[in-house]
Amino acid sequence: MADSWQECMELGISIARNAGKVICKALQNEQSVMLKTSPADLVTETDQKVEKMIISAIKEKFPTHSFIGEESVAAGAQCVLTDNPTWIIDPVDGTTNFVHRFPFVAVSIAFAVNKVTEFGIVYSCKEDKMYTARKGKGAFLNGVKLNVSGQTDITKSLVITEVGPERDPKILKTFFTNLEKLLNIPIHGFRAVGTAATDVCFVAAGEADAYYHIGLHCWDIAAAGIIVTEAGGVLMDTDGGPFDMMCRRIIAASSRAVGEAVAKHIRAFPCARDDEQIGVHANGN
Ligand code: LIP
């Protein structure tokens, strides 16, 4: 059967690479920084410009497709995944890194049909690392096959997490309590890089053994999610249950054993699903 989505994936890769060039060029200039839901939830004109560029380039070829974009949702668009072919886009994953010129910034583009992700693309533009995966066809970094570490022992694991833009004292207390419990297992260590998409790709590449985060969004992890599963990893909710990209909770791990060990030691704070927050970003509350 002709691979009907391959053309979409090839277009997505080309668009991601071009978007990465725009981001890297913009890194040389001072950015006008705006705030979204908190004093640490940043957005720049580059985020908005790159998302518009990605969406218009795709619409030119596929005008009937749907879109979920971080900055479109922030401007009030609905964040609802339908059966229609849908592109899920984070134009600049790691915006705070971008503003500070911390060298981990990624373009994240996923494509879903009937609510199933067909492919994911994460382009870490400063590193020139193109992570890709097609459903059932493996995961790759610049064309080289990716495999998770396969680590099954949490006490031998390097774990990645992020605090995100939350500064609510109760949320921060939960974050640090979770981290303390994991460190006391003990795990080998933790890292926080500031871009969820790249964090998950580190697990896919076998460079870390687990990543967990509460409070991120579907656009942060839709693409990296298929990259880590196609690399042999597992995705789950932070309670160990089935992963749902709209529920804003994720564990990505080298093995089910490590993922479940993380789930056993952490608890989530309540946060509304992406598809229930219609327009919440628009007015920041
Ligand atoms: C970012 C995530 C990161 C998180 C940041 C932010 P953005 O996404 O990728 O993991 O720590 O707070 O949410 O907003 O840069 O696309």
Side-chain angles (χ1 to χ4, degrees):
M1 183 182 87
D3 183 347
S4 42
W5 307 126
Q6 191 55 30
E7 184 191 357
C8 293
M9 184 166 183
E10 285 162 11
L11 174 68
I13 290 169
S14 164
I15 289 173
R17 197 175 295 284
N18 288 336
K21 286 179 188 152
V22 171
I23 292 165
C24 284
K25 192 166 183 304
L27 272 168
Q28 297 157 20
N29 312 315
E30 204 60 40
Q31 290 301 316
S32 63
V33 181
M34 295 160 275
L35 303 183
K36 289 198 287 193
T37 59
S38 84
D41 191 5
L42 313 183
V43 62
T44 70
E45 286 169 1
T46 300
D47 296 73
Q48 296 161 340
K49 173 184 159 189
V50 169
E51 182 165 312
K52 288 193 177 96
M53 183 184 91
I54 291 171
I55 291 176
S56 59
I58 294 168
K59 273 187 174 169
E60 210 174 293
K61 297 271 289 194
F62 304 104
T64 61
H65 288 186
S66 302
F67 298 88
I68 294 175
E70 175 174 8
E71 306 317 333
S72 308
V73 172
Q78 288 218 329
C79 181
V80 179
L81 188 59
T82 67
D83 290 343
N84 197 42
T86 303
W87 299 75
I88 305 164
I89 299 162
D90 187 341
V92 181
D93 188 51
T95 298
T96 302
N97 290 354
F98 172 70
V99 167
H100 291 274
R101 295 191 176 87
F102 188 75
F104 289 97
V105 184
V107 182
S108 179
I109 299 175
F111 181 69
V113 182
N114 298 323
K115 302 189 183 71
V116 175
T117 308
E118 288 293 333
F119 63 76
I121 302 159
V122 173
Y123 182 47
S124 177
C125 47
K126 280 289 283 179
E127 300 178 284
D128 192 23
K129 288 186 174 180
M130 184 69 76
Y131 297 90
T132 61
R134 269 298 315 265
K135 189 175 70 171
K137 298 185 179 224
F140 299 86
L141 167 55
N142 294 346
V144 177
K145 189 133 181 30
L146 284 177
N147 291 293
V148 293
S149 66
Q151 182 57 257
T152 56
D153 183 345
I154 186 72
T155 67
K156 295 186 175 65
S157 294
L158 181 64
V159 178
I160 302 178
T161 189
E162 302 280 352
V163 70
E166 308 295 347
R167 295 298 178 267
D168 173 288
K170 287 191 190 132
I171 290 177
L172 290 179
K173 184 167 171 50
T174 303
F175 173 81
F176 288 111
T177 302
N178 287 338
L179 197 50
E180 186 180 11
K181 284 187 178 166
L182 284 169
L183 287 168
N184 286 329
I185 294 175
I187 57 175
H188 275 178
F190 85 94
R191 300 288 182 271
V193 172
T195 144
T198 309
D199 291 336
V200 177
C201 287
F202 286 142
V203 177
E207 296 163 346
D209 305 298
Y211 163 77
Y212 71 95
H213 193 170
I214 300 130
L216 76 175
H217 296 283
C218 60
W219 46 78
D220 292 319
I221 38 97
I226 189 171
I227 291 168
V228 72
T229 54
E230 286 295 325
V234 297
L235 288 179
M236 59 181 76
D237 194 316
T238 51
D239 63 4
F243 174 67
D244 171 354
M245 79 162 94
M246 289 292 171
C247 80
R248 302 185 62 204
R249 299 184 302 269
I250 182 174
I251 293 172
S254 54
S255 66
R256 184 154 295 281
V258 164
E260 287 173 350
V262 171
K264 189 176 154 199
H265 288 84
I266 66 172
R267 68 178 180 85
F269 51 81
C271 56
R273 292 172 55 91
D274 275 328
D275 49 11
E276 287 169 353
Q277 294 195 73
I278 308 300
V280 70
H281 295 282
N283 46 33
N285 55 42

